[in-house]
């Protein structure tokens, strides 16, 4: 299965701290994406990193990709209570037809 | 743009009844996806349409589930007859292609009693 697996399953931190979530996958990819889901809402796309990229930034988000280890990490710096949500990684296979496959997610709780 | 629009937001029905979920994708997006989310199984792809044509329906659980996309601006997911194990949140998403970023609707919370 191409499915990405996030780690940890749950993470609890204080406001101002950094949050790091990891994603591992099994086969070659075209790209890897991170999404956020607030309780009771749809998923929101955060960032897409292609297989030939190693790092990408968007505001307080930093994503790294290590294709040799088949892993990615999402770093949220200076977290806020509003960052409380579930975070999912999704992978698109490297060749041929492929839809995105989502992992089970990391639940992040940021306490004031 | 209003984003992906799903209706209804919540649906409560009794076992055996027909359920129809509706989706309006973002204008210009040629890929449309139906996902189901549960605590146990996470987010599962049910069916993927490209240019209104079903490309991959391997995730549709069984014949009780059917999906249509009669035009570029409308899709339905129908469950007939519904069963309690169908209770889940159903999401519609659209994108420019199957490997690019998805835009999700707010979902339909389905409860089958």
């Amino acid at each position: 299965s191409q499915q990405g697996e996030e780690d940890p399953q749950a993470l609890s931190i204080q406001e101002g701290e950094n949050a790091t979530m990891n994603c591992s996958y099994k086969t070659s990819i075209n790209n890897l994406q991170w999404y956020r889901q607030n309780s009771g809402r749809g998923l929101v796309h955060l960032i897409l990193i292609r297989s030939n990229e190693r790092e990408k930034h968007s505001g307080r988000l930093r994503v790294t990709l290590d294709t040799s280890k088949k892993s990615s990490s999402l770093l949220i710096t200076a977290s806020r209570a509003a960052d409380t949500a579930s975070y999912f990684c999704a992978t698109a296979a490297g060749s041929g037809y492929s839809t995105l496959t989502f992992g089970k997610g990391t639940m992040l709780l940021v306490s004031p | 743009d209003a984003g992906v629009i799903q209706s209804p937001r919540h649906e409560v029905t009794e076992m055996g009844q027909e359920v129809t979920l509706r989706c309006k994708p973002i204008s210009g997006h040629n890929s449309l996806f139906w996902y189901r989310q549960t605590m146990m199984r996470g987010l599962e792809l049910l069916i993927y349409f490209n240019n209104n044509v079903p490309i991959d329906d391997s995730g549709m659980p069984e014949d009780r589930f059917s999906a249509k996309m009669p035009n570029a601006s409308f899709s339905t997911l129908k469950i007939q007859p519904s069963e309690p194990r169908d209770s889940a949140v159903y999401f519609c998403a659209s994108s420019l292609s199957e490997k690019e970023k998805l835009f999700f609707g707010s979902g339909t919370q389905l409860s089958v009693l």
Side-chain angles (χ1 to χ4, degrees):
Chain A
S1 167
Q2 177 62 33
Q3 186 176 36
E5 294 290 337
E6 293 91 344
D7 170 60
Q9 287 187 313
L11 181 61
S12 183
I13 60 174
Q14 299 289 113
E15 263 193 329
E17 294 180 340
N18 295 341
T20 299
M21 288 158 270
N22 303 296
C23 172
S24 59
Y25 56 92
K26 295 179 181 175
T27 60
S28 66
I29 59 170
N30 173 283
N31 68 68
L32 185 145
Q33 303 179 31
W34 286 92
Y35 289 79
R36 183 188 73 229
Q37 184 179 33
N38 291 92
S39 181
R41 309 297 293 267
L43 281 74
V44 174
H45 182 268
L46 295 176
I47 202 161
L48 181 155
I49 186 165
R50 300 199 183 275
S51 60
N52 61 351
E53 298 175 310
R54 291 297 167 259
E55 189 170 311
K56 237 177 168 179
H57 297 256
S58 177
R60 294 183 295 112
L61 305 181
R62 173 179 170 248
V63 169
T64 60
L65 178 65
D66 187 334
T67 53
S68 66
K69 295 181 179 178
K70 292 186 171 58
S71 68
S72 173
S73 67
L74 170 66
L75 168 67
I76 304 174
T77 60
S79 63
R80 306 165 182 170
D83 294 327
T84 294
S86 291
Y87 292 81
F88 297 84
C89 72
T91 52
S95 60
Y97 160 76
S98 169
T99 56
L100 291 182
T101 303
F102 286 81
K104 293 270 180 85
T106 292
M107 291 181 61
L108 173 65
L109 174 62
V110 182
S111 301
Chain B
D1 198 317
V4 176
I5 300 173
Q6 289 187 249
S7 65
R9 190 78 171 88
H10 302 274
E11 177 81 31
V12 180
T13 190
E14 292 188 346
M15 184 173 64
Q17 296 298 304
E18 178 179 295
V19 174
T20 299
L21 311 182
R22 297 173 176 79
C23 175
K24 176 179 168 56
I26 292 173
S27 177
H29 283 185
N30 59 10
S31 295
L32 183 139
F33 309 80
W34 283 99
Y35 283 90
R36 178 172 68 178
Q37 186 178 38
T38 60
M39 288 294 293
M40 289 294 294
R41 301 171 71 95
L43 200 63
E44 303 174 278
L45 176 67
L46 299 178
I47 188 168
Y48 158 54
F49 290 89
N50 182 260
N51 291 323
N52 314 337
V53 176
I55 302 299
D56 183 355
D57 65 355
S58 59
M60 296 286 263
E62 47 198 272
D63 292 346
R64 298 184 298 107
F65 285 70
S66 63
K68 293 182 180 180
M69 191 164 186
N71 57 62
S73 59
F74 185 65
S75 177
T76 59
L77 178 67
K78 186 176 294 186
I79 308 173
Q80 166 63 17
S82 58
E83 297 182 2
R85 60 192 168 117
D86 301 331
S87 297
V89 181
Y90 291 81
F91 288 104
C92 176
S94 70
S95 73
L96 292 173
S97 82
E98 74 272 12
K99 294 188 182 184
E100 298 303 312
K101 68 178 183 179
L102 302 185
F103 294 79
F104 282 80
S106 296
T108 295
Q109 174 77 59
L110 174 64
S111 297
V112 183
L113 308 177

